[in-house]
Amino acid sequence: MSGPGGTVEHLGAVLDARGARDPDLLAVIAGDESVTYGALAARVRGAASALRARGLQPGDRVMVADLGGVLILIATLAVLRAGATAVVVDPNLAAPELAALAEGSGPVRLAIGGAPFVDHLRGGLDVPVLADADLVAADDGVEPADPDTAIVLFTSGTTGRPKPIAMSADVVRTRLAPYADSPDPHVRMLCTPVFHIGGLIGALVSLVGGHTLVVQRRFEAGEWLRLVEQHQVRQMFLVPAMLRKILDHPDFATRDHTSLTMLTYGAAPMPPQLIARALDEMPTVGFANTWGQTETLGGITILSPEDHRHPVRRHSVGQAVPGVQMRVLDPATGAELPAGAVGELQTLSSQNVTAGWHGTGDLGHIDEDGYVYVSGRLSDVINRGGEKVGPVEVEDVLRAHPQVDDVAVVGVPDDVLGQRIGAAVVARRREPASGPHEHSGELDATALQQWCEGKVARFKTPERVVLVDAIPYSQLGKVDRKAVLRMIQEIESGETS
């Protein structure tokens, strides 16, 4: 349980103290379902008893598959209370993918699925799959005991097969402790997937802090605006792609979102033009940028609302949070680099899932004041005849073109140079008087290449440019660069238009 002083004694019992002290306080609102802290704590205890009755042993692994909502929170906490490990996965994965994750994570002993996914899980797994009704039981009164490994999540898999990331109970407790028993409980919102680190940590932070969590199971900008207005939401985490859709939605100007005091964003680069627009159109909201990974249990840097007004620092992901050390290494030699030099960002902290320095796989630099600037993934770096190009740098230049709405840059295989710079570009659209949408003015490869002159080195200028209707993104708003490369190759070969 959590208590004064910022401590979390048992992960599976984080609701007990609040449930006893404020049993009628709303804990979770998800669609038509609302549950208080008292009721949620009782359901977690009963579900843990049900799992024990089915033979679950300490150290066993249980797959939990659902979208955000009451069930996935109950299931995850009940598994932990029973002394087992919660393997939290995307329920939308295909049956063979679920089977591979189940085997690669442990393997699992049981699975728990939300109502829409139970049959799907049973068709893909060879272990018992429990539904919500199977978790209803009387509390057996057994005290909780955290497992050594509390939670397993999977990396996004945009560059390869998803990798299991095992999180010890000690690391998770340490991560949550600063947020225990908030002196200012309020309404928060979860609109990112709970099977990713940002969503899961956000949900647990809300519960250990005693806040009310409004859950949007699937993000949609109009519904997001309605929920913020209805429940007077104050804080949440979202990704840049979500913010763009919110600002673009026709209801943005009419819905009341003045309750919002803080929007934290991350998981993908924030286009400079987008955050400038957000600061202008949501002037009473404090924006905070955070950067981290599944392996670091989420954010390890923070860019404050004040720094968002700084002409240079606003392009960074902020400074390391207390207790986190950072450095930059030369990827080729492993030597530590001085301030301002670009290399692999590494971190050392108690919230890393492994001991010692963790190589993030992200390229970037740290300035003399400790502000971190991320250039992109090392695996995304384009090698054009020996010249190394980070795609984010080129994307920022192209996105500043007045007729560009969105863009993604990738390396296109080339027999001569190894790779050439390719860009998929979404042209800004306007509504002409005659009717249907059309591109605003002329936009082609030559115009974009001319735009890059003097803004980036000549070898960074895109050589393969295609116009597309939309850039493919993952659920967390990361550019799916494999899909972008396929789009460029298909368009150039005439397979699609």
Side-chain angles (χ1 to χ4, degrees), residues 343-396:
E344 184 189 19
L345 295 165
Q346 295 203 338
T347 178
L348 177 68
S349 82
S350 60
Q351 69 183 63
N352 288 358
V353 298
T354 56
W357 284 94
H358 166 66
T360 66
D362 278 339
L363 194 67
H365 72 275
I366 304 174
D367 69 14
E368 293 183 349
D369 296 316
Y371 286 84
V372 180
Y373 297 78
V374 181
S375 307
R377 295 291 293 170
L378 275 168
S379 58
D380 293 335
V381 170
I382 303 164
N383 188 341
R384 184 191 180 279
E387 298 283 5
K388 306 296 175 48
V389 181
V392 174
E393 176 188 9
V394 182
E395 288 167 354
D396 284 346

Side-chain angles (χ1 to χ4, degrees), residues 98-413:
L98 290 170
L101 296 189
E103 183 62 30
S105 65
V108 301
R109 166 82 166 73
L110 295 170
I112 303 170
F117 306 105
V118 171
D119 290 341
H120 177 56
L121 291 171
R122 287 172 177 164
L125 304 175
D126 59 0
V127 298
V129 178
L130 309 183
D132 196 356
D134 299 314
L135 300 181
V136 177
D139 179 10
D140 63 10
V142 177
E143 289 298 314
D146 288 345
D148 291 336
T149 299
I151 296 168
V152 175
L153 292 181
F154 291 83
T155 55
S156 61
T158 56
T159 58
R161 174 172 289 185
K163 179 178 67 173
I165 306 298
M167 305 170 189
S168 73
D170 284 342
V171 169
V172 179
R173 283 194 298 263
T174 299
R175 180 73 170 88
L176 297 178
Y179 305 96
D181 284 342
S182 169
D184 179 31
H186 53 265
V187 181
R188 297 190 170 204
M189 188 168 172
L190 175 67
C191 58
T192 54
V194 77
F195 45 82
H196 288 301
I197 189 65
L200 182 60
I201 290 297
L204 294 177
V205 163
S206 182
L207 293 176
V208 301
H211 305 289
T212 297
L213 184 66
V214 176
V215 178
Q216 185 180 26
R217 288 170 64 87
R218 293 183 186 274
F219 174 79
E220 192 279 319
E223 177 69 1
W224 184 95
L225 288 163
R226 186 191 69 79
L227 290 171
V228 168
E229 179 180 89
Q230 177 182 353
H231 299 291
Q232 293 294 285
V233 176
R234 276 176 47 181
Q235 292 189 31
M236 75 183 68
F237 172 86
L238 43 66
V239 302
M242 292 176 176
L243 182 59
R244 176 189 293 272
K245 292 179 180 179
I246 291 164
L247 295 176
D248 286 344
H249 197 276
D251 291 347
F252 177 77
T254 57
R255 286 290 188 183
D256 179 13
H257 41 77
T258 56
S259 62
L260 289 169
T261 59
M262 179 69 70
L263 286 179
T264 303
Y265 64 89
M270 173 68 79
Q273 296 83 2
L274 179 58
I275 191 59
R277 178 184 171 193
L279 290 168
D280 181 58
E281 297 189 26
M282 305 177 79
T284 62
V285 176
F287 286 89
N289 187 4
T290 187
W291 171 75
Q293 300 179 320
T294 306
E295 295 90 337
T296 65
L297 267 69
I300 53 175
T301 70
I302 192 74
L303 182 72
S304 71
E306 293 74 23
D307 281 329
H308 274 77
R309 304 288 178 180
H310 192 280
V312 177
R313 291 172 179 170
R314 67 189 298 176
H315 299 291
S316 76
V317 294
Q319 298 172 300
V321 300
V324 172
Q325 300 179 53
M326 297 197 66
R327 67 183 184 184
V328 180
L329 297 189
D330 185 322
T333 66
E336 187 167 354
L337 297 174
V342 176
E344 184 189 19
L345 295 165
Q346 295 203 338
T347 178
L348 177 68
S349 82
S350 60
Q351 69 183 63
N352 288 358
V353 298
T354 56
W357 284 94
H358 166 66
T360 66
D362 278 339
L363 194 67
H365 72 275
I366 304 174
D367 69 14
E368 293 183 349
D369 296 316
Y371 286 84
V372 180
Y373 297 78
V374 181
S375 307
R377 295 291 293 170
L378 275 168
S379 58
D380 293 335
V381 170
I382 303 164
N383 188 341
R384 184 191 180 279
E387 298 283 5
K388 306 296 175 48
V389 181
V392 174
E393 176 188 9
V394 182
E395 288 167 354
D396 284 346
V397 171
L398 292 173
R399 197 177 279 112
H401 190 290
Q403 293 171 236
V404 170
D405 188 59
D406 203 2
V407 62
V409 170
V410 297
V412 180

